[in-house]
Amino acid sequence: MRNRWVLIGLVLGLGFMAWAQAAPKLTPEEMERAKEIYFQQCAGCHGVLRKGATGKNLEPDQLIKRGRNLDFIKTIITNGYGGMPAWGKLGILSPEEVDLMARFLLNPVPEPPEWTFDNIKSTWKVLVPVDQRPKAPETDRNWQNYFGVILRDVGKVAIVDGDRKELVTILPTGYATHILRSSKDGRYFYTIGRDGWAKVIDLWMKEPKVVAQVRACLDARSIDTSKYEGYEGKYAVIGCYWPSSMLVVDGKTLEPLKMVSTQGYVLSQGQFLRENRVASIVSSHYSPEWIVNIKEAGQTWLVNYSNMDKKGRPLDITMIDTERFLHDGGWDLSKRYFLVAANAVKKVVVIDTKTREFVASIPVGDKPHPGRGANWVHPEYGPVWATGHIKDNKIAVIGTDPEGHPEYAWKVAEMIQTPYPGNLFIKTHPKSPWLIVDFTVAPTPEANATLCAWYKDDLKRDPVCWQVPGALEKKARMVHIEFNKDGTEFWVSAWGKVGVPTFIVVYDAVTLKEKARITGDWVITPTGKFNVYNTANDIY
Ligand code: DHE
């Protein structure tokens, strides 16, 4: 018996050595470059440990098992695959970089660095102490109609006056700032970047400034503040991809208070996950809780922050097993139900934040990607919430009113066909009759330059679709729609390449006519835009 195990061990060992020897060689410089490219372009979907999530598993033994040799991998990286962009064809990676990445993927996964609470504390800085900040708004501008515009690839956020369409200021916020969220009163913008840096911007200053900053981790995507009555702005929470964790900080100073690892088990019983990333976070209106979505484990955590002041008390966390690969999501119209995409399993999960229960898991199309989704009252289905899809030509319109319209609640009331796949964001406003949709990751530049609008009251009516003039010429993809404070117009970014200034186009919310363009040397790689009033009040 013992000999048999020795023999098996020997065979496995020899097999591993043969594979390790066959792994293509990389110089130390090439390894560093490949690690950087992997972090920038691949880790978001495939994971830093390459175990797969939205994208497939890319561990070398798994690749080999699936028959992926060097040439095959190069072809996939060049031409794209499923929802993955054609990195080579799009010119994002050169042929040498494609070759480098294919070789990198056939090598063992490098160990990603750790990040301790001491590391975090050493990065924390209050740039303007709370008592030196304005007591009332110092600006005569309508600051509640400011837009925070992410200039993604230059690591900045521009504050733009939505009334006057003027640039107020530009602030450095860190590598590939991902989202902005607002304090409940709208005064502070919170930013989180893919380098894990969180910053808070005070919009009451005549010229808004970053007033505090902290590096929560090495890779992050989400942030929110405490919004429950009595706790408004007291805390903020940062959701990290790597190391997989969340950090609770002081809402005004970003002082690090409590760190919680999110490593865990698939649906609390399956395999152990070192990489178990924090995706979307929202702040409950019913209790002092954040709703935190844990991607790989498929859990939604209800994180109660009301005991933070009690010595030694950990956060009270209720872990609900929902669906794997939770990603982005938003509130229904009543702000009681939170709907979140479990993108790789083609579902939308619903959480009732009043009863604190898992309500439904709704089958939708391939790779739902709602952003925060879009809400309106449909004449037949009642209140609905909609999501687009990355891989399907579909928009799923889901009923969200179990009391008034039970026949449509937590079901796809209508599936709209879109002219292209590759939708990233979808948005509306109570004052606009339209549901606006982009096609940022569709496979053709023509589709990337196109926007479509559906008439919300009659989804069967043909949509109005148009190619945005100037987008193709700038090789830009139209991305992310945001309405102004009073809902009379919506803004869409033209996401181009670094070094090529593009534009943000402003449309009339009723006629869909172009009203204005925000241009300037500073308009480089604009992506997400967040209107202060709408973000603070969850209007979408
Ligand atoms: Fe995002 C939201 C993660 C790619 C722009 N993105 C989110 C959220 C998550 C996430 C978890 C929800 C945050 C929340 O609500 O708390 N995004 C990821 C990824 O993992 C992914 C797929 C790959 C990556 O490596 O980042 C990814 N995202 C993108 C982009 O390529 C976009 C277009 C540009 C960029 O910054 O890289 C992009 N993501 C956005 C935006 C939002 C967002 C603008 C917020 C939408 C909103 O209206 O709230």
Side-chain angles (χ1 to χ4, degrees), residues 19 22-23 59-69 73 106:
W19 160 70
E59 291 171 301
D61 56 335
Q62 296 298 316
L63 285 168
I64 289 164
K65 222 192 240 169
R66 302 204 301 269
R68 301 332 195 203
N69 62 19
I73 299 172
L106 287 170

Side-chain angles (χ1 to χ4, degrees), residues 258 307-314:
K258 227 162 229 171
N307 281 322
M308 285 286 298
D309 288 343
K310 292 189 187 146
K311 207 163 182 265
R313 272 288 282 276

